Amino acid sequence: MQLWTDLEQVPPGFGPSVVTIGNFDGVHRGHQAVLDRILRLARSDAASAVAVTFHPHPAAVHRPESAPELITGLEDRLALMERTGLDATLLVSYTLDFAAQTPEEFVARYLVDGLRARTVVVGHDVRFGKQNAGTLATMVELGGQHGFEVVAIEDVGDSVAEGDGHQRWSSTAVRALLAEGDVDQAADVLGRPHLVRGTVVHGDARGREMGFPTANLGDITGLVPADGVYAGWLRRGTAATCASLAGPDHDRATASGAGLGQEEILPAAISVGTNPTFDGVERRVEAYVLDRTDLDLYDQTVVLEFVAHLRPTLRFDGMEPLIAQMNDDVARARKILRP
């Protein structure tokens, strides 16, 4: 996938293209269906499939006090988009100046002159241009003026929990599920386990003292789910990216002898919370790689994938009951990850 961060990077004569526009936070199954649609349209029309997306999120510019926390960091969002087979992504720097363009100016500059769009795929609720004045009707009208077709797609969705009925696959639904710690249902909407990325930093070393050395994450990108203990995967190495890049049938076995030069995927018990047993106040994300005490992960970038919620965060009366519970957590995580 070609990645452009400015229209000037688009090669001269590029196109024709089939284009879609969106934030694609989480790149969930609804997003995947849209991107698959533009891919099929592009392939049938000898065109290039292109997504236009934004960074930062527009809400972070217009209403930073209430902007949603992003499900995925930028690096993982782009990697997930690449996995869909897109030919190119135009990453637009979202600023107030960009937002001040009229709908006509945006379409002419980006879709017509920049990407030579033959087809534009949007949702029925699309909004674009200054003060979100552009609507689906606006896009259709501009398409008629500039010679591109507009394809409007219906919401793509399904039930995110048995008995809930029809629910749209959406970033909002994923955020709500993660806020509840329901990583299993979040994975159903995402089409893969939810992930966060961070750099391993030094902690209090209490886990090592108890026989469970943990990797503590700093500089985290991605939405951290509710406090609790989870079964999941720790991915490290130069190829450490999101699970979907390997496909659904990816072998989760630990890579023999893997190091920084290749990716290693390790089963883990993941803790999110403040360590109330020790009167902690700082919320932390840390992972114990099952049955491994020999790992040196300090200063490495790792990805944590959340597979199943094991229990809420609890306060224990001393080390002994805590260690007993940790042994139980590890046993349950092992059973889930290595059935």
Side-chain angles (χ1 to χ4, degrees):
M1 180 184 78
Q2 299 182 72
L3 174 62
W4 307 312
T5 56
D6 192 283
L7 276 177
E8 294 181 357
Q9 296 174 356
V10 180
F14 176 82
S17 65
V18 178
V19 181
T20 191
I21 307 163
N23 292 306
F24 303 106
D25 184 27
V27 196
H28 54 66
R29 292 168 71 181
H31 294 144
Q32 294 166 36
V34 172
L35 297 176
D36 180 67
R37 180 73 178 274
I38 73 164
L39 278 163
R40 287 186 283 112
L41 288 170
R43 298 298 177 261
S44 68
D45 200 24
S48 297
V50 182
V52 177
T53 191
F54 309 99
H55 183 74
H57 192 288
V61 174
H62 293 292
R63 51 181 193 280
E65 70 287 347
S66 60
E69 189 171 357
L70 296 182
I71 298 167
T72 49
L74 178 60
E75 180 178 355
D76 290 303
R77 174 167 38 127
L78 293 173
L80 285 161
M81 293 174 70
E82 180 176 18
R83 176 63 184 172
T84 66
L86 284 169
D87 296 304
T89 291
L90 174 60
L91 178 64
V92 176
S93 177
Y94 195 92
T95 64
L96 291 176
D97 285 343
F98 172 83
Q101 295 177 105
T102 65
E104 295 78 9
E105 289 170 336
F106 168 73
V107 167
R109 183 182 179 196
Y110 284 84
L111 304 186
V112 178
D113 296 338
L115 298 175
R116 294 179 61 211
R118 179 178 289 169
T119 304
V120 176
V121 179
V122 292
H124 284 270
D125 59 352
V126 65
R127 293 291 185 274
F128 62 99
K130 186 177 181 179
Q131 297 180 337
N132 279 335
T135 65
L136 176 59
T138 311
M139 188 69 80
V140 171
E141 180 182 354
L142 292 170
Q145 294 176 15
H146 291 286
F148 61 81
E149 179 185 5
V150 177
V151 175
I153 56 174
E154 302 291 340
D155 288 346
V156 181
D158 202 349
S159 173
V160 298
E162 186 176 353
D164 282 354
H166 183 83
Q167 179 167 331
R168 184 185 182 192
W169 284 327
S170 70
S171 300
T172 299
V174 174
R175 292 188 189 99
L177 290 165
L178 293 176
E180 298 170 359
D182 194 345
V183 295
D184 181 65
Q185 292 296 335
D188 183 62
V189 181
L190 290 167
R192 65 180 184 284
H194 174 61
L195 64 90
V196 300
R197 176 185 296 270
T199 302
V200 179
V201 298
H202 290 273
D204 298 321
R206 289 198 187 98
R208 183 171 297 279
E209 293 171 5
M210 293 184 288
F212 301 95
T214 59
N216 294 267
L217 265 63
D219 299 323
I220 296 173
T221 60
L223 179 56
V224 177
D227 288 4
V229 178
Y230 300 84
W233 301 97
L234 182 149
R235 303 165 67 93
R236 68 161 181 169
T238 54
T241 54
C242 47
S244 69
L245 295 185
D249 299 322
H250 183 70
D251 182 4
R252 292 287 184 172
T254 300
S256 176
L260 290 177
Q262 62 186 110
E263 188 177 41
E264 190 173 16
I265 307 169
L266 304 164
I270 305 168
S271 172
V272 177
T274 59
N275 294 323
T277 300
F278 302 102
D279 298 319
V281 294
E282 180 185 358
R283 192 170 188 238
R284 296 182 177 182
V285 178
E286 49 190 317
Y288 164 65
V289 175
L290 305 189
D291 309 314
R292 294 289 296 270
T293 60
D294 60 328
L295 295 173
D296 182 2
L297 300 175
Y298 289 123
D299 299 322
Q300 293 184 30
T301 297
V302 301
V303 168
L304 298 182
E305 297 173 357
F306 295 82
V307 174
H309 182 265
L310 299 178
R311 64 172 174 85
T313 298
L314 302 171
R315 176 186 288 272
F316 295 90
D317 294 327
M319 296 275 280
E320 186 173 335
L322 173 58
I323 291 173
Q325 180 62 62
M326 292 172 70
N327 276 301
D328 182 65
D329 295 339
V330 168
R332 292 180 60 199
R334 187 183 294 112
K335 185 175 182 179
I336 291 168
L337 301 171
R338 294 175 172 171

